[in-house]
Amino acid sequence: AAAAAAAAGILDPFVTEDACRMVLQECRQTDALYAQLSADPSLRAPLPSAAGVDQLTRFATAILSTFNNPRYLHKYGGHAGDTQLFSIPPDSAVPHYFANVAGGTIYQRKVLSLLGLRNLLRRGPEIYNEMRDKLFSGNYGDYGGSEGPHKMKHFTGNAVDLDTVLVRCTDPVVQKQFGKTKGSISGSREVEEYVMRIAREHINSFRDTFKLNAQQAVARRIYLPPEAPEEPAAPGGGGAATQLKRALSAVKSVMRSGSAISVARGHTE
């Protein structure tokens, strides 16, 4: 379909059937590579060849250009000025934005996201390695001024807070499982305890992966003191913590929202 669009003059003529096959093959190889990295985060990501990245970037630019269309501008509430973002060249700074909050237009945030993804074709592996060398610390002070999350924010307009666990207080599934409304969730001790437990599970898994002892965990700012024993079981089965974990099995995944309880670097906000 992309090749047909190129032949019709809609896409860059570079997007031929052979180019499409090349990109799909590159995607398959990359998927396999990052499956290995996910299984063993101690591995380093190999840096791609300049020629390969140039081809992928040109292809991504051609695909991106199709979003510069009145149909999508209208569908996602864009403004005419948003289309100026398409003039940002590859491997350039992407304007900073927040993905999940008001401000700007949905169209603008989608374009900025796509521009950042295009840059990650080139910069992603080096950002990954820089952050892996610092055990994926979310503390900007652990990196040089142009490394890790600094570089991520420069080239994608965004940076992930790696040390935060969030529960979406506005999510109906969360509200149902807790039996609470948005307002009561945000001040709930039960929910706070649950978030801490989930954070502990992820932190302990991370420590196991990188074989970090207590001293190393303190240096990485992910040390949590031993968990207090669970309270005695109440009549009817299971302590409160056990009952809570059972009730929340449907919402155990980490979720993000602007209205949330945050556990960051070992303390709650």
Side-chain angles (χ1 to χ4, degrees):
I10 300 172
L11 285 179
D12 185 330
F14 165 78
V15 184
T16 62
E17 288 191 21
D18 286 341
C20 292
R21 280 192 287 268
M22 179 274 295
V23 168
L24 291 173
Q25 178 61 25
E26 187 72 22
C27 289
R28 284 189 287 268
Q29 293 174 353
T30 301
D31 284 344
L33 167 65
Y34 282 96
Q36 295 177 6
L37 293 177
S38 296
D40 185 0
S42 64
L43 298 175
R44 292 176 62 82
L47 300 181
S49 68
V53 168
D54 287 344
Q55 284 186 311
L56 288 174
T57 298
R58 185 173 178 182
F59 195 93
T61 299
I63 299 299
L64 176 64
S65 68
T66 65
F67 203 60
N68 187 4
N69 184 299
R71 171 190 173 191
Y72 297 117
L73 191 70
H74 175 74
K75 180 176 181 179
Y76 296 112
H79 301 148
D82 292 340
T83 59
Q84 295 178 4
L85 294 171
F86 290 96
S87 64
I88 296 176
D91 207 35
S92 298
V94 173
H96 181 56
Y97 71 103
F98 292 98
N100 295 323
V101 298
T105 67
I106 295 176
Y107 181 82
Q108 180 190 63
R109 293 196 291 273
K110 285 183 178 291
V111 174
L112 290 171
S113 177
L114 291 169
L115 290 171
L117 289 171
R118 181 179 65 179
N119 282 344
L120 287 177
L121 292 170
R122 184 182 305 274
R123 298 292 181 172
E126 60 190 63
I127 292 172
Y128 179 92
N129 289 335
E130 289 165 359
M131 299 192 73
R132 184 259 167 270
D133 290 343
K134 299 294 185 180
L135 294 177
F136 302 102
S137 171
N139 181 14
Y140 279 50
D142 288 342
Y143 302 87
S146 60
E147 296 181 342
H150 299 283
K151 184 180 292 184
M152 184 190 298
K153 191 171 183 178
H154 177 83
F155 285 108
T156 71
N158 217 318
V160 177
D161 188 341
L162 297 174
D163 291 332
T164 301
V165 176
L166 298 176
V167 170
R168 191 189 302 272
C169 297
T170 56
D171 191 295
V173 176
V174 176
Q175 294 177 13
K176 180 179 179 181
Q177 292 299 326
F178 280 110
K180 297 178 182 292
T181 63
K182 172 185 171 182
S184 59
I185 286 178
S186 63
S188 168
R189 180 179 176 182
E190 287 181 328
V191 181
E192 180 178 324
E193 290 176 350
Y194 172 71
V195 174
M196 288 295 293
R197 287 178 180 276
I198 296 304
R200 184 183 295 275
E201 290 181 12
H202 286 293
I203 288 172
N204 289 341
S205 175
F206 182 89
R207 285 183 59 181
D208 289 343
T209 297
F210 290 96
K211 299 177 174 59
L212 303 182
N213 59 33
Q215 183 177 2
Q216 292 169 320
V218 169
R220 173 58 179 77
R221 289 176 293 279
I222 57 171
Y223 177 78
L224 292 175
E227 192 171 15
E230 186 173 315
E231 64 189 70
T242 299
Q243 293 176 1
L244 182 60
K245 292 188 75 172
R246 290 172 180 167
L248 293 173
S249 60
V251 292
K252 192 172 182 180
S253 60
V254 176
M255 295 175 284
R256 302 183 63 86
S257 172
S259 175
I261 291 175
S262 170
V263 177
R265 298 178 182 87
H267 69 276
T268 58
E269 298 174 347

